[in-house]
Amino acid sequence: MPAPAKRKNDPEGLKKRIIASALTLFADFGLQGARMEQIADNAGTTKRMVVYHFRNKEQLYIEVLHHVYHQIRQHETGLNLSEMSPSQAIVCLAEASFDYHLSHPDFMRLICSENLMRGRYIRQSESIRTLNQSALNLLDAVLNRGKESGEFARSVSTLDVHRLISSICFHNVSNRYTFNSLFGSDESESQSIRRNRQLVVEATLRYLQPCPH
């Protein structure tokens, strides 16, 4: 009878599985509710190996935060906004951000959880803050082109435009159930999503319009 095949030693693959497992459990149960044993079990490894790679649950949580922010910033960078006109680039960025938030609910729940803890762990990571600067740099380049061409008002702030886009995209997912229960109409969910997707584009473009002389 042949001996069972040994599992290939793949530390990077293991770390990716641990992060993926941790993301799901941190999103579902928060930092306090997620158990290291369950994270290890879902990743097909042992708690000892999780501790070996990430030291403790708090450090693993910070690594997961870094991972999710890296994913969304990488997605934005891949949009090739420099190849579009400023207005087209804003439309593309707003729609892509809306779609990303909608299709990544674990990212949304994790960020909600971190906000409930008042950003305690994000503040501990200089690398996460540095990583997210790319979102402002990307947007700033588009806005500067739009200001030079006369498409956008020169007074607009890059941070305010980022805040505007993020707030609508985030609200569409994070407040979906409470908002619809309180203020819902006869719209279907798909109709509401389409309307909110159009809203983030129109609100941003109108905010950027130069004031008439």
Side-chain angles (χ1 to χ4, degrees):
M1 182 177 179
K6 292 183 178 180
R7 188 164 192 166
K8 184 180 178 181
N9 184 25
D10 180 15
E12 289 306 311
L14 175 57
K15 288 171 70 173
K16 289 178 181 178
R17 294 199 309 274
I18 293 170
I19 287 175
S21 171
L23 170 56
T24 299
L25 291 169
F26 286 145
D28 284 346
F29 303 109
L31 174 62
Q32 300 305 319
R35 294 171 52 249
M36 290 284 271
E37 292 84 358
Q38 187 63 53
I39 290 170
D41 188 55
N42 289 359
T45 188
T46 63
K47 179 181 176 181
R48 182 179 67 84
M49 291 305 296
V50 176
V51 172
Y52 173 80
H53 285 293
F54 297 100
R55 298 206 307 271
N56 53 52
K57 186 165 67 168
E58 288 74 18
Q59 186 58 39
L60 174 57
Y61 176 78
I62 292 173
E63 288 293 332
V64 171
L65 283 172
H66 189 282
H67 170 75
V68 296
Y69 276 116
H70 175 73
Q71 292 293 311
I72 190 171
R73 302 287 87 99
Q74 190 176 51
H75 177 72
E76 292 166 348
T77 302
L79 296 175
N80 296 319
L81 300 180
S82 62
E83 303 297 319
M84 308 172 194
S85 72
S87 293
Q88 288 172 332
I90 289 295
V91 172
C92 179
L93 180 61
E95 290 179 341
S97 182
F98 186 91
D99 294 343
Y100 190 94
H101 283 73
L102 186 63
S103 62
H104 290 77
D106 282 353
F107 166 71
M108 296 290 303
R109 289 195 291 268
L110 186 72
I111 303 310
C112 285
S113 176
E114 178 62 10
N115 273 290
L116 287 173
M117 294 188 288
R118 303 182 181 181
R120 182 190 311 167
Y121 293 94
I122 279 183
R123 287 199 304 271
Q124 297 178 28
S125 175
E126 183 64 33
S127 66
I128 293 179
R129 292 196 294 273
T130 301
L131 170 67
N132 280 280
Q133 186 61 37
S134 71
L136 297 183
N137 294 341
L138 190 77
L139 181 55
D140 194 54
V142 175
L143 295 180
N144 284 337
R145 290 195 292 118
K147 292 175 184 180
E148 289 299 318
S149 70
E151 293 175 61
F152 303 152
R154 289 190 172 273
S155 61
V156 296
S157 157
T158 300
L159 186 59
D160 285 344
V161 177
H162 178 70
R163 192 194 315 274
L164 173 61
I165 294 173
S166 295
S167 62
I168 297 175
C169 295
F170 204 91
H171 183 278
N172 175 66
V173 180
S174 65
N175 292 52
R176 175 193 303 179
Y177 300 109
T178 53
F179 193 87
N180 288 345
S181 295
L182 292 172
F183 310 110
S185 64
D186 294 330
E187 285 184 329
S188 67
E189 183 176 19
S190 61
Q191 288 173 327
S192 177
I193 289 171
R194 283 196 301 271
R195 184 168 54 78
N196 289 338
R197 192 173 189 264
Q198 184 178 1
L199 174 64
V200 69
V201 171
E202 292 182 354
T204 307
L205 289 177
R206 289 178 184 178
Y207 178 75
L208 291 173
Q209 283 179 351
C211 294
H213 298 292

